[in-house]
Every structure is written in structure tokens, then in C-alpha cells.
Amino acid sequence: MSSLQTGVFLKQVSEDLFQILPPCRNHPSCLTDTSPVVPGADPARTQLCFEWGPAEMLLCETLFGRRGGERRGAPGGSAGPAPTGCGVAGGGDGAPGPSRVFVVRRDQDIYMETLRKLFNESHGIFVGLQRCEEERAARARNAQLVQVSKNYRSVIRACMEDMHQAAISARDSALHSQYSIQVSILSAMELIWNLCEILFVEAAPAGPLLLRLLDWVQLHICDVDNMVREVLGSENPSKHKLFWNVVDIFVLQGRMDEARHLLSKEAIANPTSMNMYKILDDLMKKMPVPSLGNTQTLTEMELKWQHWHEECQRYLQDGTFASNSHMESICKILLGDENAILEKKELMTTWYHFLVTRLLYSHPTVKPMELRFYAQSSMDMFLGEESNPEPLDTILMAAFEFELHQVIKECSVALSNWWFVAHLTDLLDHCKLLQSHNLYFGSNMREFLLLEYASGLFSHHSLWQLGVDYFDHCPEYGRVYLELHIERIPLNTEQKALKVLRICEQRQMHEQVRSICKIMAMKALRNNRLGSALSWSIRAKDAAFATLISDRFLKDYCERGYFSDLDLIDNLGPSMLLSDRLTFLGKYREFHRLYGEKRFSEAARLLLMLMTAHIAPCSFWMTLLTDALPLLEQKEVIFSAEQTYELMRCLEDLTARKLDKQKFQDDDVETMKVEMLRLALARNLARVIVKEGTLEGS
């Protein structure tokens, strides 16, 4: 892997689509694509190397200096290319400097507590959209998609308000700056989403389109509200220095009723302007505006607007407002005079506000496909031909040009995470607007973005649960991604392991189920929690591991004289058939239970079966034979002659083993056990023969 020559660029590039860069923004209209350098790293002094992980990147300073690729501080001082591994930073004098390793997260926003609401609540909206009825009528479906879009926007706005409150209450200046930047980013996201909702989701036709754009401008440019409160709160509003600015803003935003209300205060304060006020008020009142509930055709609307426009032109040419420059300026704006509108540039602040105002007073019946021409000319007129548009301007222009894929690409470049483009693309895909665009590697754009977003969620200790549903709704590669990511979830607690296991079991991910169970079984075994280890090995259906743990149970029994985790062993059920050793453990525990309940005959049969069926380990035969001693010494004869002969044969088989013979010769205790067993078996056999002979004689 080559070294980074000019800085550390945190980019993930898709050759077919786009790049994604962390943001550096101070205002929603200023989304910059400056590539940030990792804080603390000094690429100007030493070369840097990095290694990608699933969601993070390890970055370190190497032994290589910046001059000509010379190696500094390296053994032997040989020159060569930068290494792919990590070394110690070289000092200027050739001596090794302090080593520093940086952990760079790909989706830093995932770890912001204040954005948790955005991720959690949008997840519910996303899942609900995927489960909607496919057979819904086209009109009802379109209304539903518009509502889904509004739900997404409401989540963005709620998160933005929470972030704003956090910024106000933050005492630390760095934290305040961080929250303020996030507020700006969220504001830009809502602005873009709202425009896409109007143009693509709702697909507003000519007439209603202008009304939607007016609402869009009024919602996102709200500086006028503070000015209105200040003006109306003064003793004499019409004499306030901001009075005419507020009136102009209302007119520029098409808020005629509010503008007329303020102008009435001017007429009352200045009776000499009453006649001009009445004429201007009448013009503003009669201005034809498309209405959502109006049944008039576009032709009728254009005719009414043309007559009204001619009336405004006549009053202006007659010099009706010549004595009042403010009212004359308003009349020019009503006529759609671009120079008069541009004079209010500072009040509009953005070119897209200028665009909507221009359309309102010059082309209110603009068609969707005509927007591109007005948008480009409006941006050129407002910003000037020499100025460079900001990323937000580029995104909005692409939307007005109906370049949907360009909108997604530019948003991916400018925004700091995949949340926005993933959810917007999914919504547009449900609107059947992305069906024709497939990527060269097989997945479509929707799935590509959802996979990237969900992969980022999996890097978080709790948000990974949301990522599961996103993978579920990626039909081509979703399951593969889920299998790869779910194996990397750290299983810190049994509760978390059970949660992951349930997810895998619901999706028939058998290999992952076995892997998780084996990991948890090994952890439990290392902590000497045999019951938990056995339970996990049974769930994994791992016969070899179940045998190992069963041996540990039997070993502990031999050392302590009792079983731990009796509830688990008593309720093994069919699971004991997983391995012979586990079967033996379960049956041996059943023998103890029968003996405790004084069901000696059943206990004796079971004990003999365990030995003759060869499922008991040979090392445990002496323990089983020792367990038979109390039964052999009972007053009532328990073992029959045939059973006694079987026990004798088992004892002789045990003592016949050469290694055991040597052990018995060296161990007095074992020798004593064998002698006691032989004596007990001989006694029992004698008692059985007498009893059976007596029964035959009678």
C-alpha cells in the first residue's frame, strides 16, 4: 500500500458513483469538500501508512522521512519505498521518534449521541415503507410516499431542534461549534430533501408547483420572523428602520396578506399616502395565484394573470407611486422587474429565493421541465458569473435540472455520512425513478447506498441492530453483508449473544449460529462455567465440544462427589443424544436420581446398561462399579445372577488392562476397591443363588 504524500484523505471511492468526504461547514449554503487531515498527524514530516478495517482505519507514522523517500531511523539506513506496515516515526536527526497510531472512523456521525434520534426514528419509517402494500392504487400510493417523505423531514427537523438546544446549552466552545455545524448540516439536508419531495416524489404539476416552491422558501428562509417581531413590538411600527425591509420580504416570499397588514399601518400613520395604499392593496389582493383546490385551467390562470399584470403596468407608467419610492419598488416587483428584485438581494440571501420570487411575478404557471432554464439564469444573475457555486448550490441546481443521479452523487460528496443518500434513494426507488440505473458490479444504486449505510451502523455498539433490517431489504447482497458483519460483532455479554443468535436463527443463518454458540461455549469454559458452556455447545450442535464439556462434568464429579448445574443436566431431554458422552452424563445423572428416590431395581438396570452398552468412558468404570457397592450390600437382593456375572466380567475387564494392572499394583486404594468389589459381588452371587434355588424348590 503506498504512502500518503500530501495529507490523509478520508475517502471511500466508488469508480462508478462518487466519493464521500467528512464535512467542514459553517452554513447550510456552504457545504465545502475540503479534505481534512487527521488531527495530530504530521504528513509534512513523515510519511504515513494505513490499514482499512470493517468500519475504521488504523493510521500511523512510518520510519520514512519526506525527503526523496529516504528512510530515517530504520535499521541499516537503507532507502526504499514506504512500508505497508507501521513503524516508529523518524526524527529529523535520524533517530527514532515517538510512535503514534491513530484510529480513524469512517462514519464519525454514527457515534454522536445527538444524532441517535435521526437514526432510530428514520429506521422505523424505512421499515414501514418496505412493508407497504404493493397492490395499492397509484394515487393512494403516491400520497403514501409523500407522507413518508414528510415523516423523514419531520425527523430531520426534530433532530435539528434538539441539536440547536444542545448548542445553546453547551458551555464548551468546541462542543458549541460542533453542534452548530451539525445544525447547519441538518438544515441543508432538510432543504434538499424538501425540494426533492416537491420535484420527484410529489411531482407537482404546473400551477401547484409554484405554490410548493413558495412554501419551500418560506419554510427554510425564516430570518424575517425575528424582524417582524422587532417591528411589531415597537411603539410605531411604520417608523421602524426595518419596516420596509419586512414588507419587502413578505412581498418577495408571496405572503401578500401579511404584507397588506403591515402596509395598512403605514396608511394609518401617513394619511397622505392613503390613496396609493388603497391602489397597491387592491393590486396585491387581486393578484391571481394558482390554488390547489382551484378547478381553473392553466390557460384561464394565464389570462387572469396577464390582465392583472397590465393593470400593474398601467399604474406604474401613470406615476401613481412616484411620490413613494418604497411602494413604487413593490409595484416593480409585482411586475417581475428583475432589476428591482435584485435590488433586494440582501433580503433574499440565496439565489433559489430569487428564483422562486422571479417565477412568482413573471411566470407563475412554470412547468417542471422549464425550471432548469430559470434556475441556471437566476443563479448566474444572483451570484455573478465569476463566483464559484458552493456544493449546496450544485446539489439544488442538479435537482432543478431533474438530474436525479447527479443529486445523489453530489450529496454523497458533500455530506458526512450515508444516512441522507441511502434513505432518499430508497424513497425515490419506491417512486420508480431509479429502475433503469444499475451499477457495473451488479447491484443497483439503492442497494449500494443501503449496504454502505448499514455497514456504518454495524460499527456502533448498539445501532448495529438497526443495520440488520437494512441488510434484510437488500435482496442481492444484503444477506452476504449481514453474514460478514454479524460475525464481527463483539459478544461481550450472554444477553448480547442471545440477541445476535436470535437474529441469525430467524434468518436460517446456520453457520453463524454454530459460530456464535462455539465462541460463547469456549468463553464459558474458560471461566469454568460448565453449565453455560454445555448449553451453548448443545445449541451449536457441536458433538466434539459437548463431549469435552461432559468429560469436565464427570471429572468434577469424581473430584467433588456431586454434580453442578443439576437443572441443566436433569432437563437435557433429546439433546443428550448429541454425543455418546453427553448421553452417558444424562443417564448417569438419572441413575443418581433413581437411587435417591430408592428405586433400586431401576437404578441397578440402568447402571449395568451404562457399562455393557460401552457408552461409559473406560476411565469411569471404576466409579460405576463403586456406585454398585451400596446396591450389592442392600438387604434385599437387587442384582440377579446374570447381572452379577456381567458386573464381574466388567470388573475383570477393567483389571485386565496392563496399564491399569500397573496402576492397581502401585495404588493401595484402587487395590482395596477391587478387593471390596470382588467380595461384594461374591456375596451377592451367593445370596442370589440361594434365593433363586429356594424359589425353584418351592
Side-chain angles (χ1 to χ4, degrees):
M1 187 175 293
S2 63
S3 61
L4 302 181
Q5 298 294 326
T6 58
V8 183
F9 295 90
L10 308 181
K11 301 179 181 179
Q12 179 171 335
V13 183
S14 170
E15 187 176 312
D16 186 52
L17 282 177
F18 30 64
Q19 302 166 327
I20 178 168
L21 301 176
C24 178
R25 312 173 178 88
N26 294 316
H27 190 272
S29 62
C30 186
L31 300 181
T32 64
D33 57 357
T34 303
S35 302
V37 177
V38 176
D42 187 7
R45 186 171 63 89
T46 58
Q47 294 182 359
L48 304 174
C49 71
F50 59 89
E51 181 68 28
W52 285 106
E56 297 175 337
M57 180 176 72
L58 283 179
L59 180 138
C60 68
E61 297 175 333
T62 70
L63 295 170
F64 293 85
R66 299 298 304 158
R67 271 186 247 166
E70 292 182 2
R71 192 171 185 177
R72 301 182 181 181
S78 60
T84 57
C86 295
V88 180
D93 57 355
S99 60
R100 291 183 292 181
V101 177
F102 306 91
V103 178
V104 183
R105 287 170 174 164
R106 183 178 64 176
D107 292 325
Q108 184 63 30
D109 289 353
I110 298 292
Y111 298 88
M112 291 191 65
E113 288 295 326
T114 46
L115 289 177
R116 292 290 292 274
K117 175 184 285 188
L118 181 67
F119 302 132
N120 284 315
E121 296 193 13
S122 60
H123 164 261
I125 300 172
F126 171 83
V127 173
L129 176 59
Q130 313 311 309
R131 295 174 179 171
C132 68
E133 299 178 18
E134 294 293 338
E135 296 80 14
R136 194 182 294 268
R139 180 174 298 180
R141 180 173 176 77
N142 183 65
Q144 181 196 35
L145 292 172
V146 172
Q147 185 58 48
V148 168
S149 179
K150 290 180 178 178
N151 291 342
Y152 275 125
R153 284 200 295 117
S154 67
V155 171
I156 297 175
R157 180 159 288 272
C159 190
M160 182 170 60
E161 292 173 355
D162 291 346
M163 194 79 72
H164 179 66
Q165 292 300 320
I168 293 174
S169 59
R171 297 182 180 180
D172 181 62
S173 58
L175 196 59
H176 174 81
S177 176
Q178 181 186 16
Y179 287 147
S180 298
I181 290 173
Q182 286 297 327
V183 169
S184 299
I185 295 172
L186 290 169
S187 178
M189 288 165 59
E190 189 192 3
L191 178 74
I192 299 167
W193 192 296
N194 197 353
L195 182 60
C196 291
E197 178 186 305
I198 295 169
L199 299 179
F200 304 122
V201 182
E202 187 175 4
L209 174 61
L210 180 62
L211 296 179
R212 294 287 184 246
L213 292 175
L214 282 172
D215 293 338
W216 175 62
V217 166
Q218 293 171 14
L219 178 63
H220 297 283
I221 301 178
C222 51
D223 295 340
V224 67
D225 296 335
N226 294 329
M227 295 172 61
V228 170
R229 282 192 291 269
E230 183 179 346
V231 170
L232 295 180
S234 62
E235 294 182 2
N236 191 351
S238 63
K239 300 298 182 183
H240 196 280
K241 62 180 180 179
L242 298 176
F243 174 80
W244 287 105
N245 284 350
V246 173
V247 174
D248 288 339
I249 291 176
F250 281 148
V251 173
L252 292 170
Q253 293 187 1
R255 298 162 67 174
M256 292 304 182
D257 292 339
E258 293 159 285
R260 290 170 57 207
H261 174 69
L262 278 181
L263 284 174
S264 66
K265 297 185 179 297
E266 166 67 11
I268 294 172
N270 298 300
T272 56
S273 63
M274 181 62 72
N275 185 50
M276 284 186 294
Y277 160 72
K278 288 183 177 180
I279 295 174
L280 185 60
D281 180 77
D282 186 57
L283 289 175
M284 295 169 71
K285 182 179 180 180
K286 291 192 301 184
M287 177 183 174
V289 178
S291 175
L292 294 176
N294 201 341
T295 56
Q296 67 179 356
T297 63
L298 288 179
T299 303
E300 293 172 341
M301 167 65 196
E302 289 174 349
L303 287 174
K304 290 182 180 179
W305 185 85
Q306 187 63 37
H307 290 310
W308 172 82
H309 189 269
E310 292 172 356
E311 186 178 359
C312 293
Q313 184 72 39
R314 186 168 59 253
Y315 280 118
L316 185 64
Q317 291 176 351
D318 291 346
T320 303
F321 308 108
S323 61
N324 190 312
S325 60
H326 296 294
M327 292 191 182
E328 186 178 34
S329 175
I330 291 173
C331 186
K332 289 180 179 180
I333 292 174
L334 296 181
L335 283 168
D337 188 319
E338 292 175 352
N339 293 327
I341 297 174
L342 281 173
E343 287 178 2
K344 311 299 179 181
K345 183 176 181 178
E346 293 183 358
L347 299 178
M348 291 182 289
T349 68
T350 63
W351 66 268
Y352 44 89
H353 187 180
F354 170 62
L355 164 66
V356 177
T357 301
R358 182 184 174 197
L359 292 174
L360 175 64
Y361 296 114
S362 63
H363 195 2
T365 57
V366 62
K367 296 178 177 61
M369 298 312 297
E370 296 172 343
L371 282 176
R372 66 175 63 209
F373 308 111
Y374 288 100
Q376 187 62 58
S377 61
S378 296
M379 187 170 72
D380 293 341
M381 294 169 65
F382 192 88
L383 299 179
E385 295 182 358
E386 296 182 359
S387 63
N388 293 322
E390 299 287 347
L392 179 61
D393 301 326
T394 305
I395 294 169
L396 295 178
M397 180 58 66
F400 282 123
E401 292 176 347
F402 284 82
E403 294 290 343
L404 190 53
H405 302 107
Q406 188 67 19
V407 171
I408 296 171
K409 174 182 176 180
E410 295 296 338
C411 287
S412 300
V413 172
L415 298 175
S416 59
N417 61 67
W418 295 104
W419 180 90
F420 183 85
V421 288
H423 290 85
L424 179 62
T425 304
D426 174 67
L427 179 62
L428 296 176
D429 186 73
H430 279 81
C431 296
K432 310 297 182 185
L433 297 175
L434 297 174
Q435 301 302 307
S436 61
H437 192 83
N438 289 323
L439 307 185
Y440 74 93
F441 48 82
S443 177
N444 58 37
M445 182 183 290
R446 170 192 175 272
E447 182 162 323
F448 174 85
L449 295 171
L450 288 178
L451 291 173
E452 289 300 316
Y453 173 64
S455 297
L457 291 177
F458 262 83
S459 67
H460 194 273
H461 64 89
S462 63
L463 291 177
W464 64 268
Q465 299 171 75
L466 307 181
V468 173
D469 286 325
Y470 289 95
F471 283 142
D472 282 345
H473 293 98
C474 294
E476 193 162 353
Y477 295 119
R479 185 179 177 87
V480 177
Y481 269 66
L482 180 58
E483 290 174 351
L484 293 174
H485 279 283
I486 211 160
E487 291 176 348
R488 293 180 169 87
I489 297 175
L491 305 176
N492 305 321
T493 63
E494 284 207 4
Q495 182 181 4
K496 188 173 183 180
L498 288 170
K499 191 177 293 184
V500 177
L501 193 64
R502 185 163 55 251
I503 290 171
C504 294
E505 288 175 342
Q506 289 171 350
R507 291 157 180 80
Q508 286 85 46
M509 296 165 60
H510 305 299
E511 191 63 34
Q512 284 68 32
V513 168
R514 284 192 292 271
S515 175
I516 292 167
C517 292
K518 288 179 181 179
I519 291 170
M520 295 306 297
M522 185 60 71
K523 283 185 176 182
L525 186 61
R526 287 172 182 166
N527 295 323
N528 205 33
R529 296 167 54 229
L530 298 182
S532 178
L534 181 58
S535 176
W536 283 110
S537 65
I538 291 172
R539 294 192 73 161
K541 295 181 173 57
D542 189 337
F545 204 74
T547 299
L548 175 66
I549 299 171
S550 299
D551 284 337
R552 284 286 300 271
F553 266 106
L554 296 173
K555 180 182 177 182
D556 282 3
Y557 171 77
C558 292
E559 293 174 354
R560 301 176 185 176
Y562 61 89
F563 282 113
S564 59
D565 300 287
L566 288 180
D567 289 343
L568 174 64
I569 301 174
D570 286 341
N571 294 282
L572 285 174
S575 300
M576 71 171 64
L577 300 176
L578 180 62
S579 75
D580 289 346
R581 198 61 46 82
L582 185 58
T583 303
F584 170 74
L585 176 64
K587 291 297 182 180
Y588 185 56
R589 167 56 193 157
E590 185 180 347
F591 160 76
H592 279 271
R593 183 172 56 80
L594 293 172
Y595 186 88
E597 296 173 356
K598 300 188 183 302
R599 296 159 64 182
F600 299 131
S601 297
E602 296 177 52
R605 285 195 298 272
L606 180 56
L607 183 65
L608 191 61
M609 183 274 293
L610 291 176
M611 298 191 68
T612 56
H614 298 289
I615 63 171
C618 294
S619 60
F620 208 74
W621 277 24
M622 180 55 73
T623 303
L624 293 176
L625 289 168
T626 305
D627 287 335
L629 272 174
L631 296 174
L632 293 170
E633 297 296 337
Q634 290 289 328
K635 292 181 180 180
E636 181 184 354
V637 176
I638 304 299
F639 291 102
S640 66
E642 184 180 354
Q643 291 174 330
T644 306
Y645 285 129
E646 284 292 336
L647 289 174
M648 287 179 169
R649 184 184 61 78
C650 292
L651 179 59
E652 293 307 315
D653 287 346
L654 179 62
T655 56
R657 299 175 184 275
K658 293 181 180 180
L659 293 177
D660 289 344
K661 279 184 178 180
Q662 183 64 38
K663 180 179 178 183
F664 289 151
Q665 292 172 2
D666 297 340
D667 193 337
D668 294 338
V669 175
E670 293 296 325
T671 303
M672 185 180 297
K673 285 183 181 180
V674 172
E675 295 302 325
M676 289 176 61
L677 282 168
R678 283 174 175 163
L679 180 60
L681 288 168
R683 284 179 184 173
N684 188 77
L685 184 58
R687 293 166 60 195
V688 171
I689 292 173
V690 171
K691 180 180 178 181
E692 291 180 354
T694 303
L695 292 174
E696 289 177 3
S698 62

